[in-house]
Amino acid sequence: MLEARHVAFSYAASRPLLRDVTLALEPGTFTAILGPNGCGKSTLMSLFTAARAPQAGEVLLDGSPVGEVPRALRAQLMAFVSQHSHGNRLTVFDAVLMGRRPRMEGAPNAEDLAAVEAALASLKMDSLALRHLDELSGGEYQTVMLARAFVQDTPYLLLDEPTNNLDLAHQHRVLDLVRTRVDERGVGAAAVLHDVNLALRHCDRFAFLRDGVVDACGGVSIVTADEIRRVFHIGVDIIEHGGVKVMIPTGEDEPEEAGLDGEGKRDGA
Amino acid sequence: MEEQRLQAKVAAPRSGGESAPGIAQRYERYIRRKRLAIIALALLLVVVAFASLGIGSLSLSVKDMTLGLFGLADAQVNAVMQGIRGPRVLTAVVAGAALALAGCAFQATLRNPLASASTLGIAQGAAFGASIAIIVIGGAGASGAAAAFEGTSTADPVTTALAAFAGAMLSTAVIFALSRFREMTPEAIVLLGVALSALFTGGTALVQYFAEDSQVAAVVFWTFGDLGRVTRPQLAIMAAVGVGAAVFFFANRWSYNAIEGGEGLAHGLGVNVRRCRLASMIVASACASCVIAFCGIVNFVGLVAPHIMRRILGADHRYLLPASALAGAILLLVADALCHLIIPPLILPIGAITSILGAPVFIWLLFRGVSR
């Protein structure tokens, strides 16, 4: 289990970002991390990956503080698709092969090459294998980053806005592939998502971040019109279609209620 | 035991490997082409080296030159090959490769195509150090202005080289010291390098303002760069540092690939970005400083050689590092040959020729999309 226990983090003391966040990512679940822009979703991801150390509380990877797990081992346990990365003159195949690096001893072997081949095929990227990253479209590039995380073949998979830049079909395809890994291999996955409907379709756990705390966390039952209104300040209806909840914005902006959002204003959110 | 428990988990999920054959084979073919390109570069280096060995008033056959290098020809040929041409060519190869490797490491770890010894204040620091040695230290014992035109002035060449090395490492030392207090982004490091370059250039100008004409001439002569002034022990030091740096860089080849992709990505792959960046900067600075301290300022090789290879072979550092080293060696050899050939009895300053030769090649490559 990968869990954050009462973690706090802010970039400037005057503007607390994450105040007290407790969130557990369990094997075999796919958690959507939802919340408004700038609420600290990506920062929470960086605490999970130990790119940053929490200023209070702790992040535990299977019981050990994540910062103390040796880097090479950590990279074999946890794959991360970052929101920001840069394309350069590396071929798609090389970029994905990099995901095998934490497991490689010296040069890549046939198994490494086969894993890359399989990942590219599963994402329908075969034809781009020898294209340079700096020649790809935004969506193609994002798909390569996912393929890289897939070949890293880890029990935990963290995705920061993995569907950015992807067209509708690719958004679903990518999250479907994550879902398959969760169901078939018991991977514990978490994704920062902006599209609540995408989350409802593919994820089984939901965590809403608001004002530096987890406002609500749990199964699909917690995704309610009230919760969305409280977190995003927008009126919505939630209906069911084919057994899946669907959120429909009703378009009315809900004014922030002073009592409820006093803390949010102090955060400058 | 905690680690073992976690280790056990690592083996758990496995990836299914079956899919249509083809991609991996195509990739292997692509890799084979890269290897062939590197072998071709190595052969080109040998050809250029022999062509360069042939430059001089005494014309020799390839056989004589080879025998002469090993001291097996007649005494005169042995003396020319072992005493003059051999060391000069070897210096060009070692210096070119070392500068290119350092440039390649700077560009990768700072994720900046402009990073090189001359943009990070290393070359300017070396010039400042050399000015201090020649003007302040050498000037104290001012024995004669005439000696100044010999190129190393009244200052002892060893003192000059040491001072140049110290000056060259100064900017790295400052960057390193500051990074202990505050985390520095690659952009901040490059900007700091630019600021330090300006500081050193200003310092050099100020020192020169108070110097004798002859001393200024000596400094200018030093900065022109000259492969011929490198002595055997200096060549040995340069080669040792270069080989050590090459081993270090090559060991980090995967980290460079990851860092170029972004810090989050590299972190997720188990790379300690901060440590790798600082260690690479120190090694690359030492490598470039060593060359500059002994040869004088040789511009552009460190910047352009990795760029040329990046455009042709791509940014995979497994192949980019060796290819850059070879390209740097070839570029410096050709530049050195031109220095000797353009106006025969004169030997033109190597630093100027590398820029004049490298810039058009670079511009041509920038504008001609390279096909794979």
Side-chain angles (χ1 to χ4, degrees):
Chain A
M1 188 158 71
L2 180 60
E3 57 178 329
R5 284 191 190 162
H6 303 291
V7 294
F9 188 92
S10 14
Y11 295 95
S14 56
R15 289 202 305 127
L17 184 64
L18 299 173
R19 290 185 295 145
D20 181 359
V21 172
T22 298
L23 182 62
L25 309 178
E26 283 168 46
T29 64
F30 187 3
T31 307
I33 298 175
L34 302 155
N37 287 332
C39 74
K41 302 183 294 292
S42 295
T43 305
L44 179 59
M45 279 289 181
S46 70
L47 298 182
F48 275 129
T49 62
R52 293 191 177 87
Q55 287 150 353
E58 55 183 356
V59 178
L60 300 176
L61 174 58
D62 293 324
S64 322
V66 70
E68 288 167 23
V69 178
R71 281 168 182 278
L73 180 56
R74 202 159 60 205
Q76 294 178 39
L77 291 166
M78 185 160 55
F80 173 55
V81 173
S82 141
Q83 194 182 346
H84 303 288
S85 59
H86 312 269
N88 57 356
R89 290 189 85 77
L90 209 55
T91 62
V92 166
F93 200 101
D94 282 317
V96 177
L97 186 60
M98 217 150 50
R100 298 295 295 180
R101 183 58 196 158
R103 292 162 180 279
M104 262 187 236
E105 310 270 345
N109 60 24
E111 198 191 327
D112 295 319
L113 298 186
V116 174
E117 191 167 355
L120 287 175
S122 74
L123 287 160
K124 299 198 193 315
M125 295 286 284
D126 345 22
S127 58
L128 298 177
L130 295 185
R131 198 80 77 73
H132 282 153
L133 291 183
D134 56 10
E135 300 162 340
L136 300 182
S137 75
E140 287 166 343
Y141 179 76
Q142 186 68 10
T143 316
V144 172
M145 293 297 104
L146 278 158
R148 204 214 68 235
F150 284 171
V151 301
Q152 214 172 326
D153 209 357
T154 52
Y156 297 102
L157 186 55
L158 299 172
L159 312 163
D160 196 353
E161 301 194 24
T163 51
N164 259 1
N165 296 321
L166 294 183
D167 64 36
L168 191 62
H170 273 91
Q171 291 182 4
H172 284 281
R173 173 153 191 83
V174 156
L175 292 186
D176 256 346
L177 285 166
V178 177
R179 184 77 242 175
T180 309
R181 294 197 152 234
V182 171
D183 292 340
E184 291 179 1
R185 304 184 193 181
V187 166
V192 170
L193 292 172
H194 279 301
D195 185 337
V196 177
N197 284 329
L198 212 51
L200 283 166
R201 177 82 184 73
H202 300 278
C203 301
D204 51 74
R205 286 178 59 78
F206 304 84
F208 287 94
L209 277 188
R210 188 178 73 97
D211 297 340
V213 298
V214 176
D215 192 73
C217 177
V220 70
S221 60
I222 69 149
V223 185
T224 59
D226 277 348
E227 182 62 29
I228 304 260
R229 188 179 306 121
R230 189 156 65 226
V231 173
F232 291 104
H233 309 298
I234 179 173
V236 298
D237 283 340
I238 297 219
I239 61 165
E240 268 205 31
H241 177 80
V244 179
K245 274 188 177 178
V246 178
M247 182 201 85
I248 297 171
T250 52
E252 332 149 5
D253 265 22
E254 297 281 315
E256 297 186 16
E257 292 158 51
L260 204 67
D261 286 294
E263 288 162 344
K265 286 200 180 102
R266 197 188 60 207
D267 288 2
Chain B
M1 54 258 118
E2 192 71 333
E3 209 171 302
Q4 281 169 351
R5 196 170 56 72
L6 292 170
Q7 199 90 52
K9 275 199 79 113
V10 170
R14 301 258 19 111
S15 62
E18 320 94 67
S19 75
I23 314 176
Q25 272 115 314
R26 262 165 54 217
Y27 176 71
E28 277 168 347
R29 230 173 297 146
Y30 162 77
I31 290 296
R32 216 170 303 137
R33 279 207 304 277
K34 280 193 181 186
R35 293 209 179 104
L36 283 176
I38 289 177
I39 292 170
L41 272 175
L43 291 176
L44 181 62
L45 175 62
V46 172
V47 171
V48 174
F50 267 97
S52 177
L53 282 173
I55 295 171
S57 52
L58 188 67
S59 32
L60 296 167
S61 68
V62 171
K63 184 177 159 228
D64 281 344
M65 290 194 292
T66 317
L67 290 175
L69 280 178
F70 295 102
L72 301 171
D74 60 70
Q76 191 202 7
V77 175
N78 285 350
V80 168
M81 295 311 293
Q82 290 188 321
I84 303 166
R85 296 190 196 173
R88 191 195 72 216
V89 165
L90 209 53
T91 302
V93 170
V94 170
L99 287 173
L101 282 172
C104 195
F106 279 132
Q107 287 163 17
T109 49
L110 295 175
R111 278 208 331 263
N112 192 312
L114 284 175
S116 79
S118 37
T119 43
L120 290 169
I122 293 170
Q124 292 80 354
F128 179 67
S131 307
I132 295 284
I134 293 169
I135 295 167
V136 181
I137 302 173
S143 52
F149 294 101
E150 302 290 309
T152 44
S153 87
T154 51
D156 167 27
V158 176
T159 313
T160 311
L162 278 176
F165 183 80
M169 289 299 284
L170 208 57
S171 69
T172 312
V174 171
I175 291 168
F176 186 71
L178 288 178
S179 74
R180 300 198 75 84
F181 298 108
R182 245 198 91 180
E183 199 166 328
M184 302 242 284
T185 62
E187 292 77 16
I189 293 176
V190 172
L191 287 173
L192 190 60
V194 171
L196 288 168
S197 302
L199 189 66
F200 288 133
T201 309
T204 307
L206 206 59
V207 171
Q208 288 182 349
Y209 183 78
F210 291 105
E212 306 278 338
D213 291 356
S214 63
Q215 291 172 326
V216 175
V219 171
V220 171
F221 203 85
W222 183 90
T223 55
F224 277 159
D226 178 11
L227 300 182
R229 70 165 168 242
V230 177
T231 62
R232 279 184 178 214
Q234 289 177 340
L235 177 57
I237 293 172
M238 213 157 74
V241 172
V243 168
V247 170
F248 175 85
F249 295 146
F250 198 67
N252 278 297
R253 60 200 184 280
W254 286 96
S255 304
Y256 296 157
N257 284 350
I259 290 174
E260 276 203 341
E263 285 181 35
L265 192 158
H267 177 85
L269 290 171
V271 177
N272 188 337
V273 178
R274 194 162 166 266
R275 189 189 296 166
C276 177
R277 177 175 292 147
L278 282 178
S280 299
M281 283 200 61
I282 290 170
V283 173
S285 301
C287 187
S289 301
C290 199
V291 172
I292 293 173
F294 295 144
C295 304
I297 292 173
V298 181
N299 272 324
F300 221 54
V301 173
L303 181 72
V304 87
H307 272 298
I308 292 174
M309 284 302 122
R310 187 180 285 260
R311 288 198 74 80
I312 295 174
L313 286 186
D316 182 353
H317 286 79
R318 287 181 293 167
Y319 302 99
L320 182 57
L321 282 165
S324 298
L326 290 169
I330 292 170
L331 193 58
L332 201 53
L333 268 179
V334 172
D336 178 57
L338 289 177
C339 289
H340 287 79
L341 290 174
I342 293 176
I343 313 173
L346 282 182
I347 302 171
L348 300 177
I350 182 83
I353 299 299
T354 50
S355 301
I356 291 171
L357 183 73
V361 175
F362 185 45
I363 293 169
W364 176 65
L365 272 167
L366 271 182
F367 283 92
R368 166 191 173 260
V370 174
S371 59
R372 291 180 305 285

